[in-house]
Structures are given as structure tokens and as C-alpha cells.
Amino acid sequence: MARLVDYFVVVGYDLDKRGGSEGQGRILQRFPEKDWEDNPFPQGIELFCQPNGWQLVPERLPPSFFVAVLTDINSERHYCACFTFWEAVENPQKDEPSEVDEDETPEVVQPAHVYSPKSLVLVSRLDHTEVFRNCLGLIYTVHVDGLNVPLETVIGNLLTCVIPVAGGSQRTITLGAGDRQVIQTPINDSLPVSGCSVAQLFRQLGIVNVLCLFCAALTEHKILFLSSSYQRLTDACRALLAIMFPLKYSFTYVPILPGKLLEVLSTPTPFIIGVNSLFRSETQELLDVIIADLDGGTVTIPECVHISLLPEPLLQHTQTVLSMVLDPELEVADQAFPPSSVQPSPLKIQDKEIRAVFLWLFAQLFQGYRWCLHIIRIHPEPVIRFHKAAFLGQRALTEDDFLMKVLDGMAFAGFVSERGPPYRTTDLFDDLIANQVERIRQEEGDPHKVMNHIKELAEQLFKNENPYPSVAMHKVQRPVDIPQARPPLTQTTFPHLDEVTVQLFIDHAAAKLKSAPPVVKAELKRMVPSGPPLGDIVDRNGNVLANSARRLEVVRNCITYIFDNKMLEAKKLMPAVLRALKGRAARVCLTQELNQHVLQNRAVLDDQQFDYVVRMMNCTLQDCSHMDEHGIAAALLPLVTAFCRKLGAGITQFAYSCVQEHMVWTNMQFWEAMFYSDVQNHIRHLYLESDEAEQSSPVRSSHGAKSHRGAELSALELASEQTRLWPTLSKEKQQERVQKEESTVFSQAIHYANRMSYLLLPLDTSKNRLLRTTGLGDVESVSNSYVTNSIAGSMAESYDTESGFEDAESSDVANSVVRFINRFVDKVCNESGVTNEHLKALHTMIPDIVQMHIETLEAVHRESKRLPPIQKPKLLRPTLLPGEELVMDGMRVHLVADGREEATGLMGGPALLPAEGAIFLTTYRLIFKGTPTDPLVGEQVVTRSFPIASLTKEKKISVNLPMDQFIQDGLQLRSCTFQLLKIAFDEEVASDLAEVFRKHMHKLRYPQHVQGTFAFTVGQSAKLVVEHKTKDKNQSLKTLSKNLVKSAKRTIGRQYVTRKKYSPPTWENRSSFQSEFDEDEISVSEELDQSSLTLSSTIRSSDRQTMSNVVERACCRDYQRLGLGTLSNSLTRSKNEPFRISTVNRMYTVCRSYPGLLIVPQSIPDSTIQRISRCYRQNRFPVVCWRNSRTKAVLLRSAGLHAKGVVGFFKSPNAPTAGETRDLWNSTSLEQEKYVQAIISSMPSYSEAGGRNTLCGFTSTHMSTSDSSDKLRQPKIGALMKQVMGSKEDMQGTFSRGGKWGSIRGSGRLSAYNPDVGNRLAGKESPQPNGGPVESYFLRQQRAYLYIIGDKSQLKGGKQDSFQQWEVVPIEVFDVRQVKNSFKKLMKACVPSSASADPNMTFHRCLEESEWMNLLHRVLQVSVLVVELLDTGSSVMVSLEDGWDVTTQVVSLVQLLSDPYYRTFDGFRLLVEKEWLSFGHRFSHRGAQTLASQSSGFTPIFLQFLDCVHQIHLQFPMEFEFSQYYLKFLAYHYVSNRFRTFLLDSDYERIELGVLYEEKGERRSPQVCKSVWDYIDRLNKKTPIFYNYMFAPEEEEVLKPYSFVSNLKVWDFYTEETLSESPSYDWELVRGRQEHPTEEGGERPETTAPKSQRRIVWPCYDNRSKVVPDAITKLLQDLQSLEAELGQVSEKWKETWDKIKTTQRAESKLESRHSFSSSLLMSSNLSHQRRSQGVYLQESGVGSSINLGLDCEASATSTPAAGRPSTSTLYSQFQSTESENRSFEGILFKKGALLKPWKPRWFVLDKTKHQLRYYESRQDKECKGVIELAEVESVVLGTPTMGAPKNIEEKAFFDLKTTKRVYNFCAQDSLNAQLWMDSIQSCLSDA
């Protein structure tokens, strides 16, 4: 029984405090005055009566009613029912006229009366909203209508009313005013009472929104309801709690929050709060609160909040069922004759149906939860813990975010403590879990059955709230409605009540209660049934695959072999076992099998057995998560302390010392679950009378407990029985049981302290290996003491500590283990009620246990070191380049698999990684060489290497491997050649050695000066490095660079030596160097030899001889080829030539980063150039770099302009006024304009037009018509720019002359132009001679002579030119930072460091996010634009950024596209030397090659250019002389620092170091190439690897590739790798490897019978182009080997190829029919496309004549010597074209006529035509010859004659005699020959 109402309060407006801006309320009266003992009076009621604040209003408002909820300190909820009405009070503001002054209208005189609120409040612990509404309404009615009932009586009765809390009874109450009410109590008070609130909530917000809120509440998010109605806020909050049943919400719960307390919303804890909509704006800035607007029906989830939703099939089911409840018409909405009766249930019923859906949902979520409860104490109180990991594991929901959060939440903890006890009263939910789970599972698929179930549940819920049919016995008076009749003033204020009268009522009732007999409600307690176990659920949706019986069989057999000592058998099975152990079933099987070999808790093994068992255990644990959800680690725990081996006298090593490397042992929750599970078993045994239970091994995992469940009682059932009997036992018995249980727990705690010390203390306690896994760290981080002396910290320092500190360290390990165990013991003992004395005893015991264990371990460690070491694979030495030396000898490491799947065996094939081997650091590369750990591929060699100079990132990692050794920390090394070395150091590598390795690596990667790079050190005498090795390891490479500097003197040239000792200039004093040169121009005597020519000797331009060296540079050669300018300085010689070669920069004074000779307009003197250069960044003024031979348009390059102000500032020493600045700017501007004009004048099209305008004419016309011209210019530029920025409306360009577009002429080809700009560019009219601009001239949009491609952001400086002779095209260029970031992302996409956990982050998604393709697209797009402009006769000046990054890319691509010369070997070399090297692309800086540029990071501008060339190459495969491999070769070596070509930032620096000209003369060591070009030339002579066989250029071809991202392909340079040989770009290394196997292969077949020469080609292991060469390479190779066999001098491959080509050309002229190779060489566009798409597919051979990709088959038809497999494989790929009349066909070798060789031909035996035809090849349609079967006399076995195919058995030869001659044939083997003979024979006999 409980009081219906605890307090009655009258709260009114506080008139005394109304001076402030806000009114306040105060409690006028409260009854009873004294607090109840069991229920103190709640504070702050006055705030809740008027949540919006206390205010006076001018008009009376209708009374209102709502219920607020207050929660007290004991988390009890108090329901405050507030009834508010309004009373008149005198207006205090009447005398203050201030208000009236503002509003002029006299009507707004303040009323005499205003109304103040007054509230009647009931406070109760029961939630009977309607009853409270009626009671308060009655009190108000009595007061207003003046009924003759004293108010004191009514209130007294109300306060003394007592009703039952639950039990389903009806109570009638009356307050003594002629009223009567019936109160129905719910049958079971554990089920919430919801009225209609749940249905109401769904109507307001909708299904998805409510589900969202439901999940948010369960996963502990903050939820805020908004509504303008208080009652609705309360209802919504109540509804949300109702659907959460059986979980109870335990955080802040305030359905109505007063405005004054809004700061509560920023609390960090979760909450459910309701707030009036008035305060909406205050809720806007809450960043982590989910806001549900009840009036608007929306739920707003902030960006930073992620709500985990229900796991998938469940969410779908729940939504379906809810929509059936709320909208039953949905199902039949589409029916032609919908049933008439489909209506949703009435609101009250619908409410219960929705709640039933959520009950049904929880039953599915929590099914089987009782099987995961651990009961650890039964007496005096049951203590129960939930085994979360096992529950999730068995439900196969470990990955599920939602369930994890719910199980970790407070609500679930409450659920376990409330519903865990096995003996208690049960409710609807218990019944559901116990009896209905099976039904729910069966009905899952059928919504209608589910619906029936829901209806049944809803009925029970409804019955609970409304046990009796509703009886209309209510009689409550309401006030009379005469609003207008009664004048407002007559209403009296609410009277002051007499406290004494009310108190009398209360005392009287209390006395009565005392005398009444106590009501005893019999609680029906019973055992809670557990429901069906979880086991069978899993097998339905768990991993079916893992349970294959075959795998379990393998595991069992292997274990049997091990214990039967059949070690060889076991070894064979081991890999299969390790694979099988990935499955759960196999792991469980392993633990069971091992269990059988344990006798009396011990199993002694020999070394090898021990080794295998430990490996299997490690593998099993490797795949367990740290939660151990399948209890595998738990099952292994007793085994690791059982298996052991004897090491020496009395010293035993247990398995636990070898399986400590797993996270699970450092997980506190795992130990707790294990402990509780063991305690439960022990307590169960304690109460099972049978004695044998005492004897059997008590240590059994929770699984063990379940598996024996059949016959015996489960622990929960036992506990339930014991709890029932507990009250019947005597005090002594009770005491005895409590003690027994307590000591059981205590003994287990000791046992576990031992176990934990076994698994946490490392074998070698001097090493800090223990805590490398952060496991202990995570758990520890709670306590500060741990953080301060954290072991994780000491880990990092342990490298530097000397050996003297070992003891301190080992004690550190001991301390942390002691701390970990102490915390564990504290937690479990407190939870399971161990006495304090016992706890203290444990704490003193633990350090001793740990210390003892450390001592035994020391002995074990000492002995285990004496064991013969496990045979580790021998370290393989890498082959080194000539001149490459080892810096550090190989260190044993494991190469671990990264995110690429090919090598790990996941994509099929054996696992090449992880591999075991060594890492070598040389002066040039980092090399790993080793063998795979997988025994199936153990004989393969795995090599991964990259140049040390390409290292971009190095970080420390720690690696866990499924090996039996412990692997130390590792390193992850990433290279910009798209390689990743993820290595783990073997235990034999000391940690300080690993550090030394890192230091050396860093020094080699970032040398002090560029002379420290490999390209410079390689030629040096080897002594340096050797010396360096013999010295102390930590000595730096400084000695090396010192020596280098000395030797540099020799190369730098003699002049320096006389001047002073050379030291490489730093950036700061470069300028002083410059001036030195200027001061003393040393005149050089004539007899200087060429080789030592350097800077100061190249100075005098008058001295023609010294110039010759500069002339030989690439620039000059190219200028002469293009016919640009002459070398003379005097203008007399060649006035008529528009350009000249200027030597103004010969001293590199004008521009440090330009070449010495530059092309400038003839008319511009050098002095002007020096002035102009200052306007441009880095002084890089515009110079000509290419001229179109047809249109004579020129391409210029420069940097962007300086900002105006800056230039002005440079010019004048005093800061000038604004006007002055302008003049200064204009003067340079004028020079600039002159320069531009000179360029324009040089164009033939301009001079033809007779347009040599004077400058003054220009400016004047510019002034007069500037505005009109500008208007016109605007849209053009916009359109052009839009295009370059990639606008959507691009159309077909309108050009007078088309170029060659991509290989496919797509109809939707988007031109590089917008139509209007296109027309303008193609316009042919020339400007009017000399006259001013006519109006029509402007309308006749004319093409400009010069386009300046500039950066949008910098183009504010240049003036526009009125004659439209030049025009600026602003484009947005990406900056270097973008390229850098994009490249980083590209590397991560192509070479991920680990497999992505996020399934969305696929390779293509990562590639897209890197935006690399977009950057390529932009460069190509701008380049194509420029090509178009040049092609139509306009000159173009590219001036972007500093003129050395994007400018260089664009300019070089333009030349490549426009000029076929640059697509040859010589041309491409010249292009790179000219545009990239001479024009100063900063290779060293962008490649971060030295210490100085380390911070700037690696930016692959040149790689981007090569990628663009690769894209063009793909689209035009016949236009390039070089192959794709050539581009990859350059991409690799431009970062490798093997050659000096790509070092340093400009020609100036190269000359300064003496690198530029020495390449010509002196070569100290012939084997070391210093220039990459020489190397390529040499290599190209030997092998066709760089040559493109499809090279068949068309004359004067301009290429215009597609540049859209969809047309670009990922360059395989980024993704391919060859583990067999490391990258194939260091040709000596690869060639050295390949020679040996082929020699052996060559000899073998002759001696033995023909053996299949099939090879398996692995995509990531073999170099495919080498193993399966294309047909032409193969033929050239065969040719060479045949010539070698015959002892002839083999011809150069190029000569052979050229001969064939010329004969082919001749032939193809004679006959129209294309043969194979002619069609290859002269092929059409189709073949472009074919080749470009990679003819690697066998099918492509059917339709096209090109068949480079049909590797083995194509070459088999032409190379008999290959000894290929049988023909059946050959013609399986062919589809017959004339199948109807071919009865038998295949390849036979046929001997030609006299002295002709044997040739393979395709023979067809045709029964219908009775002939044997033969063709050149299978595809051939024209028959080469026919043998009529009518003429055949016999078919007999033949003998091989001279020149017959080798390696073919004798019986494969047969002869065919005809009347005319004898044909000799040879089949592929005897079987085939027999087939042919039989077929021909049968044809003959048929005839």
C-alpha cells in the first residue's frame, strides 16, 4: 500500500520580489508541514510550476494542467501534478507613465488589474495522471463555484488516501465533495504503464524517427524533446521509457525542464529532457544533442553524433511489423478490391501493440542471455556477472556496434542485477525469453504470424493496465462555464487554508494505520527458466564454412602424429593445420584434442613436439580477438600450464612462456570472465552432493560446464534451489555456507594470481617485451600512478639504456605485473564479497608469487638459450651493382604482408609473404632478400628493394606474426617508387642495432650535400666506405662527404684551385660566388683541354672556341634544328631572322635557373632583357623554346609576374607615392609591352598583314577605346577559361586544320574549346593596317597573335592590348602542395600499408580521393589547348607559378604532342635535357635529395609529366619510338640517384660542381654510367626492351589526346611488382639472374624425353614480360640463340628488325594482302586501339591480325624448338570458322621441297571435299596448298630427316606417299601422329 499523494502545495507569484526583470514564485502553503520520513519534500517545486518563468499577464488565461517529474537523490521519481489558474492583482505599474510615452495611442493605458498565476501541486510517487487531474480540478471547482464543502476537508481526505501499488485491484475513492473515482492498479508493477503515450509518440514522429531515438537512448546519447505543450513532453518521455522495457533508463530524466535551468543541457552525461519550444533558439548551439521536435515531427541529429542502429535483419523486421501495426492499410493499398475492415486498432490498443513489437524485439536481442550469466556467490546474496564476450561470440555479433554499446551500458548492467537472480518473481519478458524464443525464430519470415504473436502480447500488456472492464463510476464536478457573466473582479483569491484542520486529518489517518493489521502481499517467487541455449542459434548464421569435417580431421591427425612422434607426417600437415585454425570449429577441436593428452594436469613433451604444440597454440590465439568471444583462449589457459618440456636437471619450460604475445592476456575483462566461470564451476561442485564431482578436474571452461549440462543441474538452477532453501536453514548452517563460498573464491583468486603471472611475465624479464603490446597500458591508464612510470615510456628509452640498468628494468616489469594482478584481485574480490583480511593476505602474497616466478623463469631462460637454435633459413646475399657497396651487413628480419593482397595468397596461389630473410643497406638501395615462410613455396626467393634516395616515410611499428618466435619491433619504409617494406626485426637483432640501421639509413637518404648521393660516390675508390665500416658504427657519413669535396676539386677544374680551397656554396653565399666571377673574368689560355672547361672558361662570347661547349648543350642543338636564331651578337649579320640566340645569361647573372644561351626576339637588346627579367618571379622572363615549322608560331615560357607593388618597391629606394609607383610600373610595363610586341612582330602572319604598328599608336588607341574592347574581351576569356577549368558545355572545335585525336573518334568528343572562342581563334581576317580600330573591327572577333596562359591569381598586373594582338588566358593551376598531398594519397591507394578495415575504401575509391587523375587531366587539358592554339598559328606564352613546375610540364607536353621528333629516343632525351634540366626544374629540391630540402618533402612534378606521356602513349601507341618500359625506367631512375642526370636544380649548379661537361671527356670507370641517357643508349643496343615495335609514325602528326578522367588509365608503374627479382630497372641485376636458368633449360631437353616446359606465372612474383615475352621479342631472342649455336656473330637486334621492316615494306607494296608482320607494322587505327587496350586476352587473337599477347600459343606455331604441350591445348582457343567441312584439324610440321626448312602449318582434313588442305596459320582464310586424298597411296611412320624439329620423339614423324611425291610430316607427339594417320586412313577407306 502507498499514499496516493505525499504533499499538497499551493504556489503563488511572489509580489515582493517583482522589481526584477523576471518574476519569481514562492510556496504559499504546503501540507503536511513536516516531511515524511520515507519521503522528503522535493526542492524547487516553484520552478516547475511555471517552467517558462513567472509572469503577470493582462488577460485571464484558462486553467492548465500538466505533470512534471522530479528525480531525488536516491533516483526515486516524484510526479508533480501542477494545476495553474490566474488571479487578479493590483497593477503595480499604473503610476509609471514611462511606457505610455513610447506608444502615443491613449488606449494603451495600463489596465487597473493584471493576472498572476497560482498553482496547486500534488507530489506523489505514483503515476496516476488522470486521478490527479480530477482531484485538483475538484479542489478548484470547490473554490470557484463556492461549493459548501470546506477545502480543508477535501485536501485532508486527499492526503490520507492510501491505495495498493499493484496487484490489479480496483479502489474507489472520494474526497468528500460528492465525488467518486475508481483507481485501477496494474497487475504487475514491473511493466510500465503507458496509456496512449507510445502510440501518440509514433503519430508525432513516425517509425524511423522513433527507432532512431530508441537506439540513441539505448546507446546513451543525449535526447531533447521540444513541444509547446508540457503534457505532451511528459507523455513523449514516458513513451520512450516504456518502449525501452525491460531495460530501465538510469540517466538524467527531466520531461519538463524550466527555462531557468537550461544550462543543464550542457551536462556531459546522457539525458532525456523535454523543453518548451519557446527556448528553441537556446538549443541551437548544442552540438551533441539529438533534438526531437514533437510539434513538427522532426528529429535532428548533429553531424558529430553517430547513432548505432539495430543489427540488420532485425531493423528491417521491426520496421515492417511497426508499419503493419500503425498503417495496416498499406498492405492492401494496391489491391483492386481492398477489404473494407482494415482499420488500425483504437489508440489504447495500438499503444500496447507497439510496445509488444519492442518486447518481441528485445526477446530476439537478448535471447539466451541467461546462459551467459556467471553466478559467483549464492549466499548471503546472489552475485551475478554477465559474460559479454561469450554472448556476442555465440550470437556471431561481435562486430555489431549497437549490441556492444547496449551491453556495455548502464541500463544493461541494471538489467543483469535485477533479472540475473535465478529465484524471484517473473514477468512477461521472462516468459517470452523462456518459452517463446523458438516460436519467434520459426515465425521470423512470416509477417502475419509475427503479427498474431504481437497481438497476443499486446493483449497481455493491455490486461495488465486495465484488469477490469472499465466501469463508469466516475463523478467529478467541473466548474460552471459562464465566462462572460461573472465579472472578473468578483472572483475571490484562493483562501489561506487552516493547517491545523488538515494536520488533524493526517494524524488521525496515521493512527488508524498503526492499529490496522499489516497487509502482507504474498510474493510469488519461483525459479526463472533459462530458455533454449544459444549453441544452436549460431550454427544457423555463423560461419558454416569453418565447420568442414575435413579440416577437423586434419587437425586431429596432426595432433595424433605429434604425440605418436611421427614428426615428418606432422610437418607435412602443419601448413594445412595452420590454415584450418582460422575457423572457430577447428580451434575448439584443437583444445579438445590437446585436452585428451593431459594426464594429471601435466604433459611432458620432447623438443620437437613442444615446438609444434606451441606453434598450433600461437596460431589459434593469433586469430582470436582480444575479447575471446568463443572461449578459445579460456579453453587453452589450463593447457598452456600443462604442456611442458624438460630443459635440464629439475628445470621445466611450460608452454605459457611461448604464447604470451597475444592481446587477450592483457585484457582485464577476459581474466574476469575466466575467473567467474571457474568460480561458478567450483561453487556448483560445492553444492552438488555427489563426491565424484569433487574429484573430477574442477578447472573447466564455461563451455565445459555447458557440455555436461545434460544430466546435471546448471549452476543457475542449483543457485535457485539454494536461494529457496536459504530461509529454512539455521544460522550456523547459513554461516558455514557463506564461509565455504568465500574461501572458494579466495582460493581461486590465489590460483589466478599465479596464472596471470605465468602469462604476463616474459621469459626474458630483462627485455621489456612484455608491454610492447599496449594491452596493459590501456587498462592501466585509469590510474595516474601507472601513467607516470609507464612501461610504455620506458620502452622507448630502452634502446639507449646501457646494460647496467637491466635489474631496474626487470623490476619495472615485475611492478607492472604486480599492479595489474592487484587491480584484478581488488575488482573480483570486491564484487564477489571476499573479506578484507583475505584481501590483505592476497596483496601481500602477489609480489612474492611474481618474484618467485621471475626466479624460476631466469633458470628456464638460461637453459632455453642452451638449446640448439631452431634451424633458421640461410641469409641470401643480394647481387650488387658495380660500385654499390654494403653499408650494413644483412640483419635477419621478416618481411610482413602489407595491404596488397596478391602476394599473401588471398587471391589464390600460395602465400609468398610473410617471408623470412635479411635486410641489407647499401650505398644505393635498401634490399630485402629471403624466402617465404609458407613451406609450399619455400624454395622461391623473395626480393623487395628500392633506392635509398626514394625513401619518403619511415615509421616504427610492432608486428605480431603467427610464428613461434617472438618478433621484435619493426619498421615500415615507404618509397616513392611505389614500394613498401614492412619488416619486423628478428629476436636475434639487438634493438640498438636496429637504431644504428635507422641512423645510417637517414644519413644516406639525406646527405649533407648533393655530392654525398650515390651518383657521386659511386665512382670513388671503395676505401672510403670500407674505412667507414671498420670504424665505430655510429660514426656518421661526414668523413665520406669531406673526401668527396676534396675529390670535387679535380672535377671542378683548375681555375678554382688557384683561387681558394673549394667548398660547396650554401644558399646564402651563392650570391657572393656570383660576384666573384664578375670581378675576375679569367681569360683562359687556348691549350685548355675540353674536359676541364667550366664556367669561367665559357664566358667570353667573342671567343668562339670556348662557346662550342655550350653550343653542344641540348638547347642549342634543338634551336638549330628548329631554325631559331643565330649565335652572332651583332645585328648586322641576320637582320631578316626574327630571333637570335642571346648570351646575356652566359654568366647566369640575369637568371640563375635559366640556361646560358636563350632565344629572344632579334630586336630586343640585352640591356632591355635585364630590365624585363625583374618583373618576373625568379627573373625567369619569357624566352622562346619551340617554333612550329608549319605556322611559324612560337611557344614561349616564363614565370608568373611579380605583384605590382613589389616591383615598384624594388625599383625606387625611397618609398614612392602612389603616382610615382604607377610611373615606375608603367616604364617596365612599356618595356614588357615592347618585348611582347617584338614576339608578335616575329610571326610571319603578322608581318604579312603589314602590321608593324608603332608603340605610341598602340597606347593612344588603347586609351580611346579601352572600355569597348574590354567589354568584348570579357566573355571570350571567360569561355576559354571555363574550358580549361573543365566546363560542361564544351563542343566540337571549329578549326581550319584538324589534328589526330585519340584512337577512337568518339562522336561525343568534347573539343578543347567553347564555340565562340573557337570561331574567334579560327577567324582568318587580319587586323587593319595601321589605322585606328573601326567599330566593326571589334565585332568581327579576331584571333589574337599571342595568347598568354597565366595564373588567375597573378594576372592583375598585365595591361590588356587594344588591338587584340595578345590576350591573356587566366587558368587556375594547382600548387605544389596539392601535388604533394595527392601523391601521398596515390601511394597509399596503390601500396596500402595494411588491408583496409573499411569495406568502402576500395582501391578505386582511394584512387579517386587522391585526385591524382584530376591533376593529370588538368595538365593534359591545358597542354591540348596550347597545341590547338599553336596549330592554328597563334603563338603562346606559358607563364605559370615560378616557371619551373607546371610551366615545364605544359611546355614539354605541348612540344611532345606537336612535334614527332620529340617522340623518338633522341628527341625525348633532348626535350628533357632542354626543358627540364637546362631550364632549371628543381630536381634536388622537389625530390628532397639533401638534408636542406628534407623539410620541403617529395613532390613528383616530373613523375606527373611522365604519367601524362604514358597516357598519351596509350592513346597513340604507334607514334612513339620508345616503349612504356622506357617511361617507367625514367620514372624509377629520376628518384633513384643512380645517375647524375637528375641531380641539382639548374645548369648553373651543375657547372658549379663541374658535372655538366665532364660527362663528355673523362670516364674514370667504364662500368659506371653517370648519365641515364648513355645508359639507355648502351642498353638499347643490346636489347629491344626500350623499343616500341608498333612505331609507325605519320609525318608531321599533331596529337590531341583525350584528357577526361574517364579516358585515363592508372599507370601500372604504380601497382606492379616482381618479388622474384625486385624492380627490373637496374638491368645488370636482373640480367645476371636470368642467364643461369636458361642455360640449364637449354641443355635439359636433349637428353630426356620431351618434358613439359610449362611454368606457372605469378602476377606479383614473375616479371611477366620476361617469362612470357611478346612474339617479336621471342623471335629475336630465338634468332640470337640460334646464331650463337651456329657460331655466327649475332647481328644487332635493331639491324635485324630494320631489315625485316624494309623487306616487309617492299613486299606490302607488291602484294595487297597483309601478312602477319606487315599488318603489325603498318596497322591501322584499329590496331592502335587494340594494342592500347592490351592484347593480353587470348580471345583477341581470333579477330585481329595482331597477336602480341597470345604468348605461348602464338610462338608455338612459329618456333618448333619450344617443345610445347599437346595440340589439344593449342586449338582449344580457336573457334572454327568453317566447321561444317573440317573433320580433323591441327598443327603439323611439314618438310618443304628440296633444301627448304620444316615449317609448321595448319592442316585441315576435309572428308566432304576429300582433301588435306594446309594454311599459313589457323586464322588464315587462303589455303597455301592442297593434297588430294584420291592421289594418296599410303600413310606410314617416317624417320626424322635433316633440320627436323628438335626434342620431338621419333614416332611423331610420318610420311604421306602420293602418286606425285612423298610428304614428310611431324606431329607434336606420337599420340598425335597416330591420330592423324588413323584419320587419313579412315578417309581413304571410306572412299
Side-chain angles (χ1 to χ4, degrees), residues 1104-1150:
R1104 290 300 302 244
Q1105 219 151 6
T1106 49
M1107 272 320 268
S1108 68
N1109 223 330
V1110 182
V1111 176
E1112 266 183 37
R1113 289 296 290 153
C1115 304
C1116 282
R1117 289 209 307 279
D1118 205 34
Y1119 297 153
Q1120 277 152 347
R1121 181 182 74 82
L1122 293 165
L1124 282 170
T1126 62
L1127 256 174
S1128 122
N1129 213 359
S1130 64
L1131 292 177
T1132 51
R1133 195 182 126 216
S1134 51
K1135 232 2 185 193
N1136 53 347
E1137 286 200 15
F1139 296 105
R1140 66 189 176 89
I1141 296 183
S1142 161
T1143 55
V1144 68
N1145 198 35
R1146 62 179 187 275
M1147 307 264 295
Y1148 298 95
T1149 48
V1150 178

Side-chain angles (χ1 to χ4, degrees), residues 114-133:
V114 287
Y115 295 91
S116 73
K118 182 165 279 184
S119 297
L120 309 178
V121 184
L122 297 184
V123 180
S124 167
R125 277 174 302 177
L126 307 179
D127 183 9
H128 289 292
T129 312
E130 281 311 307
V131 176
F132 297 155
R133 188 198 299 270

Side-chain angles (χ1 to χ4, degrees), residues 267-401:
T267 166
T269 55
F271 57 67
I272 295 177
I273 287 181
V275 166
N276 192 306
S277 306
L278 287 175
F279 303 111
R280 182 188 304 270
S281 54
E282 275 89 289
T283 63
Q284 293 309 314
E285 63 270 10
L286 298 171
L287 295 179
D288 55 346
V289 179
I290 297 160
I291 298 179
D293 182 355
L294 296 173
D295 309 343
T298 59
V299 169
T300 316
I301 302 170
E303 276 176 30
C304 59
V305 172
H306 166 69
I307 301 180
S308 312
L309 292 174
L310 290 164
E312 212 356 282
L314 258 184
L315 181 61
Q316 200 47 51
H317 291 333
T318 312
Q319 284 180 344
T320 314
V321 180
L322 281 172
S323 78
M324 287 171 75
V325 169
L326 288 161
D327 186 6
E329 291 176 359
L330 177 66
E331 230 187 330
V332 294
D334 288 352
Q335 290 183 10
F337 305 106
S340 51
S341 61
V342 182
Q343 283 299 321
S345 326
L347 217 52
K348 265 190 177 174
I349 307 289
Q350 201 183 44
D351 181 89
K352 304 302 170 282
E353 285 173 355
I354 296 171
R355 279 180 51 198
V357 175
F358 282 94
L359 259 182
W360 169 85
L361 167 68
F362 273 115
Q364 282 174 289
L365 273 180
F366 292 161
Q367 60 186 10
Y369 81 95
R370 297 197 71 76
W371 291 105
C372 297
L373 293 176
H374 283 158
I375 182 140
I376 38 179
R377 286 295 292 273
I378 300 176
H379 303 316
E381 278 290 300
V383 179
I384 287 177
R385 284 286 159 271
F386 181 70
H387 191 351
K388 180 177 89 178
F391 180 71
L392 288 171
Q394 288 172 303
R395 298 289 303 275
L397 284 171
T398 32
E399 300 304 312
D400 183 55
D401 208 20

Side-chain angles (χ1 to χ4, degrees), residues 644-712:
C644 59
R645 61 173 170 191
K646 290 263 188 291
L647 287 179
I651 294 178
T652 312
Q653 179 178 13
F654 283 92
Y656 58 71
S657 61
C658 304
V659 296
Q660 297 168 323
E661 278 288 290
H662 303 282
M663 287 296 290
V664 69
W665 308 127
T666 54
N667 180 2
M668 191 64 97
Q669 285 148 346
F670 162 76
W671 286 108
E672 287 169 26
M674 278 290 306
F675 176 78
Y676 293 145
S677 141
D678 270 0
V679 168
Q680 167 168 294
N681 288 339
H682 280 273
I683 287 193
R684 185 167 159 275
H685 284 288
L686 192 68
Y687 288 111
L688 277 177
E689 272 70 40
S690 51
D691 292 352
E692 54 281 12
E694 302 288 341
Q695 264 86 60
S696 76
S697 158
V699 182
R700 209 187 290 129
S701 77
S702 53
H703 279 254
K706 280 175 211 160
S707 56
H708 293 71
R709 193 177 62 241
E712 309 161 6

Side-chain angles (χ1 to χ4, degrees), residues 196-208:
C196 304
S197 57
V198 178
Q200 202 60 52
L201 179 66
F202 271 87
R203 290 203 170 172
Q204 284 162 341
L205 293 179
I207 295 179
V208 176

Side-chain angles (χ1 to χ4, degrees), residues 1619-1636:
L1619 283 170
S1620 58
E1621 54 185 34
S1622 73
S1624 60
Y1625 307 109
D1626 287 313
W1627 194 250
E1628 296 87 337
L1629 304 174
V1630 182
R1631 196 191 51 209
R1633 293 187 49 127
Q1634 288 302 102
E1635 275 163 3
H1636 312 299

Side-chain angles (χ1 to χ4, degrees), residues 1632-1676:
R1633 293 187 49 127
Q1634 288 302 102
E1635 275 163 3
H1636 312 299
T1638 48
E1639 283 162 17
E1640 295 161 18
E1643 290 153 14
R1644 208 183 304 123
E1646 272 140 29
T1647 50
T1648 56
K1651 207 172 178 185
S1652 159
Q1653 292 201 340
R1654 289 181 63 210
R1655 280 200 54 182
I1656 294 172
V1657 181
W1658 285 337
C1660 64
Y1661 184 73
D1662 293 299
N1663 185 344
R1664 194 166 58 194
S1665 60
K1666 202 166 284 130
V1667 186
V1668 197
D1670 60 71
I1672 299 178
T1673 310
K1674 179 84 178 76
L1675 289 167
L1676 288 166

